[in-house]
């Protein structure tokens, strides 16, 4: 038999329940009693397959029942992966010999020292008859030796011995193994592309590559293990527990800015343990616990404990005069033994505790012989620090107190950790203001107080306008800096006693516990908006943000925290809908609107799934000749549940908020192309159809690729399409990206138009950079051009500007002869509106195309 897996059944004592801190555990009690072995002539690739199959890190090479060598994952680093024949060669060519062994009665502490001295990671465990029992590894020592007290005092940074070995993912497997061998590392981080994300390769992966005959691939093809990372301040005990719980053998270590600074392994943990110190500490702790429970005579036996203890120890006489101290006392307090002996512990008094506190302590000592608690003391340098203090009375043979033994430990770090945990639990880690949990608690207390004293309180719900643009354009780090500034401005703007919180993202709340007048509340909201709208300098950028504020008042608008927050949120969304940058108080009608929007959202998702939409087509007309030039495709939705036509003004904003607008846009594109192909096959003369593009479609993905795919699938031509983009899509921070997408669409043969011109914020310099064909004047400017001189001047200016830029001009919303005459007289080329035709079905559009319809032939034309 070439390969053999021996398993020995042995009942292991549950020593972990009777020993909490010991290194006297025999290695035979903790190893896995299974041993994989093979003959010397076994092929290396077959041995690797067996190791992978049985999830072991080593294989023993046996000859005539005697171990002659061992091959481990560490030996895999020595392989030359450029040699294509390595897998077929006998394992005896690569094994390590002789085999290092330990008796099964050897204690784990001895094994650990032997690991360090011989720089090994595996030993063969044998019984008294020299029969192999199993293999002990470094991870076995970490898991079972009971090093918790030592590991909890160290962080992972202290165990790192090297900077991390980082490999590019384009390296071949052969090059990667060579780098591990040259650097004498058991693992390496693999950078994923050019990012700061990493995978990890280990010796176990080399065995897996060998077992699966993987040779020529590069690292990116085979690395699928993400490097799990912890902060460098993480405790070694926590890291060790994490390795055990996750089943990992390595952890990445990052610093406070997220940079990878090391890779922690079981070998690093074991290497960092000072076993002589640990053994002495364990003896000292055990002796200390026993000695402090014994009589005065046993104090002599505890001298070693006192000297080696990691806690400070003070021995006093019955009157509290210090008789002796240990070295840790001096280290913590700064007082030498000579300075402390002969004085009372009042030498350390911080002044923070009253006389009653100390009187209670002594009463407890004399009554029960024991006191334990937290106390604040003062070091020699004047620094006040917290300590955990235990005082035990020591009795003589007559039962009289003859001494007191005080044991204390500095808990400064623990108090800092507790404060940090408290802040994490109740305060926003980024901005420092209250989080949702603390705000809810404060609001509940304020409501109870308002109810008891019959006064009002208010909740202001703030959301930053267009904040997502900052994250998308400049990155989340810039966005975080803006949030910090906004939180600071809020905290400085509200009154003393008001509470500011960040609920998450760019949402903030302000609680005003006592509202004196509604007008005063509105003044506060205005003041907040003014403060937030001030320019924010972040790095080299000067940013401007505004906020939308919703207001709810107790008890008028809600009587519970959830109701007040929800209704303030509803009021905030009304501000968003009205144009942002202002404030609004909650009303019952807003609740109705909110319910209506939720209903639309629910039905919209179902409608998208069922594709319950239709397209209408509105003609664009040559204003001089009346010729039908093109159509605009307009999405329509008839909700079968409510048996109502839902206005696009209602469902399009909901689709944008839910991130569904791209899906709708692609559906419109496909239907338009399919319809045009159908008309073309029927022999009709094709007129271009304009399709609206949303900001989300421009920002997410590449719409030009989607258009190319749909054209290819349907057989439509790019020249049959026009794309209308509103000015609100032109985000300055994304100018280059948007220009590139529009250039791609235009170069393919489609026309590009600016829709609703005059309602956005695009600049002439920006417009000149875009590949535009036409400009559409928003209907709001066309409506009153015949009676409003300001609108008339604005429209004529837009037409002149467009002509200067070489763009066609299309006027929207033409409904009267007077509007048509003015536009035609001032050089407007095209128009659309109810004066010519309403948006109609595809069947009506078919008739217009088939009859070469001209709406001006049936209407009088003014001189």
């Amino acid at each position: 038999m070439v390969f053999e897996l021996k398993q020995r059944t042995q009942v292991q004592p549950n020593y972990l329940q009777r020993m909490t801190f010991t290194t006297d555990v025999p290695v035979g009690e903790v190893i896995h009693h299974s041993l994989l072995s093979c003959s010397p002539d076994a092929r290396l690739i077959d041995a690797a397959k067996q190791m992978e199959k049985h999830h072991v890190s080593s294989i023993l090479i046996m000859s005539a029942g005697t171990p002659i060598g061992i091959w481990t994952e560490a030996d895999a680093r020595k392989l030359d992966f450029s040699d294509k024949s390595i897998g077929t060669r006998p394992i005896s060519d690569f094994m390590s010999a002789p085999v290092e062994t330990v008796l099964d009665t050897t204690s784990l502490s001895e094994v650990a020292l032997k690991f360090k001295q011989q720089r090994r990671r595996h030993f063969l465990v044998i019984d008294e008859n020299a029969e192999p029992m199993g293999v002990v590894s470094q991870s076995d020592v970490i898991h079972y030796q009971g090093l918790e007290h030592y590991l909890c005092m160290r962080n992972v940074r202290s165990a790192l011995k090297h900077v991390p070995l980082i490999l590019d993912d384009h390296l071949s497997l052969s090059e990667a193994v060579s780098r591990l061998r040259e650097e004498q590392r058991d693992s390496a981080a693999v950078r994923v592309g050019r990012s700061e994300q990493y995978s990890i390769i280990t010796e176990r992966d080399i065995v897996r590559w060998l077992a699966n005959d993987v040779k020529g691939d590069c690292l990116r093809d085979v690395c699928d293990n993400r490097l799990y990372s912890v902060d460098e301040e993480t405790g070694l005990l926590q890291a060790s527990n994490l390795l055990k719980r996750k089943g990992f053998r390595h952890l990445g270590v990052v610093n406070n800015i997220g940079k990878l600074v090391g890779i922690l392994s079981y070998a690093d943990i074991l290497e960092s343990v000072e076993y002589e110190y640990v053994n002495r500490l364990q003896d000292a702790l055990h002796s200390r616990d026993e000695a402090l429970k014994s009589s005065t005579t046993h104090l002599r036996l505890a001298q070693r404990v006192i000297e080696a203890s990691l806690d400070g120890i003070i021995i006093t006489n019955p009157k509290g005069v210090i008789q002796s101290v240990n070295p840790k006392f001096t280290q913590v307090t700064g007082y030498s033994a000579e300075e402390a002996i002969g004085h009372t512990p009042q030498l350390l008094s911080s002044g923070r505790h009253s006389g009653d506190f100390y009187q209670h302590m002594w009463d407890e000592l004399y009554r029960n012989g024991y006191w334990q608690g937290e106390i604040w003391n003062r070091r020699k340098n004047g620094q006040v620090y917290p300590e955990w203090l235990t005082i035990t009375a020591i009795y003589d043979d007559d039962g009289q107190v003859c001494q007191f033994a005080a044991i204390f430990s500095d808990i400064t770090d623990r108090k800092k950790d507790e404060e940090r945990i408290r802040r994490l639990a109740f305060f926003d880690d980024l901005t420092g203001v209250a989080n949702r949990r603390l705000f809810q608690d404060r609001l509940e207390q304020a409501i109870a107080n308002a109810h008891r004293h019959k006064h009002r309180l208010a909740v202001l719900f703030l959301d930053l306008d267009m904040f997502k643009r900052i994250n998308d354009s400049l990155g989340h780090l810039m966005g975080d800096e803006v949030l910090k500034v906004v939180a600071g401005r809020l905290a400085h703007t509200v009154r003393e006693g008001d509470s500011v919180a960040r609920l998450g993202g760019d949402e903030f709340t302000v609680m005003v516990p006592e509202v004196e007048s509604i007008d005063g509340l509105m003044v506060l909201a205005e003041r907040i908006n003014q403060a937030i709208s001030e320019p924010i300098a972040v790095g080299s950028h000067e940013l401007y943000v505004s906020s939308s504020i919703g207001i709810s008042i107790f008890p008028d608008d809600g009587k519970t925290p959830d109701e007040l927050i929800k209704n303030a949120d509803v009021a905030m969304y009304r501000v968003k809908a009205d144009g942002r940058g202002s404030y609004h108080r909650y009303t019952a009608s807003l609740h109705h609107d909110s319910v209506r929007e939720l209903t639309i959202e629910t039905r919209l998702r179902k409608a998208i799934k069922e594709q319950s939409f239709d397209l209408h087509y509105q003609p664009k007309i040559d204003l001089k000749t009346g010729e039908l030039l093109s159509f605009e495709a307009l999405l329509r939705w008839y909700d079968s549940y409510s048996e109502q036509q839902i206005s696009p003004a209602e469902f399009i904003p909901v689709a944008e908020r839910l991130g569904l607008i791209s899906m709708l846009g692609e559906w419109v594109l496909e239907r338009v192309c399919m319809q045009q192909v159908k008309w073309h096959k029927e022999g009709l003369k094709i007129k271009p159809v304009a399709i609206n593009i949303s900001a989300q479609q421009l920002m997410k993905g590449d719409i030009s690729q989607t258009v190319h795919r749909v054209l290819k699938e349907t057989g439509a031509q790019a020249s049959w399409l026009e794309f209308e983009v509103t000015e609100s899509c032109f985000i300055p921070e994304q100018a280059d990206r948007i220009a590139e997408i529009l250039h791609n669409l235009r170069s393919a043969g489609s026309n590009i138009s600016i829709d609703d011109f005059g309602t956005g914020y695009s600049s002439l310099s920006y417009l000149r950079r875009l590949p535009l064909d036409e400009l559409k004047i928003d209907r709001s400017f066309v409506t009153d051009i015949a009676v409003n001189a300001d609108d008339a001047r604005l429209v004529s200016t837009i037409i002149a500007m467009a002509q200067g830029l070489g763009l066609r001009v299309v006027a929207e919303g033409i409904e009267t002869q007077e509007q048509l005459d003015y536009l035609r007289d001032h050089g407007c080329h095209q128009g659309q509106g109810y004066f010519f035709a309403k948006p109609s079905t595809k069947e009506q559009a078919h008739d217009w195309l088939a009859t070469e319809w001209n709406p001006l032939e049936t209407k009088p034309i003014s001189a």
Side-chain angles (χ1 to χ4, degrees), residues 537-606:
V538 180
S540 61
H541 301 274
E542 186 174 72
L543 305 176
Y544 291 83
V545 297
S546 62
S547 63
S548 298
I549 304 176
I551 304 170
S552 63
I553 299 175
F554 172 88
D556 311 53
D557 307 326
K559 296 182 180 180
T560 68
D562 288 342
E563 287 178 350
L564 290 171
I565 293 173
K566 182 195 72 174
N567 291 339
D569 187 20
V570 169
M572 182 273 295
Y573 271 107
R574 169 48 64 90
V575 180
K576 294 278 190 186
D578 290 345
R580 306 182 176 90
S582 185
Y583 53 88
H584 199 290
R585 183 186 168 184
Y586 174 81
T587 62
S589 62
L590 292 182
H591 174 72
H592 177 269
D593 294 344
S594 177
V595 172
R596 167 72 173 168
E597 181 174 323
L598 180 60
T599 302
I600 290 176
E601 175 182 328
T602 303
R603 295 177 185 169
L604 178 61
R605 289 183 184 275
K606 184 177 180 182

Side-chain angles (χ1 to χ4, degrees), residues 731-740 766 769-770:
I731 301 171
E733 294 85 357
Q734 295 288 333
D736 294 337
R737 172 179 169 79
I738 293 172
E740 180 184 0
Y766 186 26
R769 296 172 53 192
L770 299 176

Side-chain angles (χ1 to χ4, degrees), residues 795-809:
V795 169
S796 62
T797 301
I798 292 174
I799 294 173
M801 181 201 71
Q803 291 173 341
L805 293 173
L807 303 178
R808 298 190 303 272
V809 184

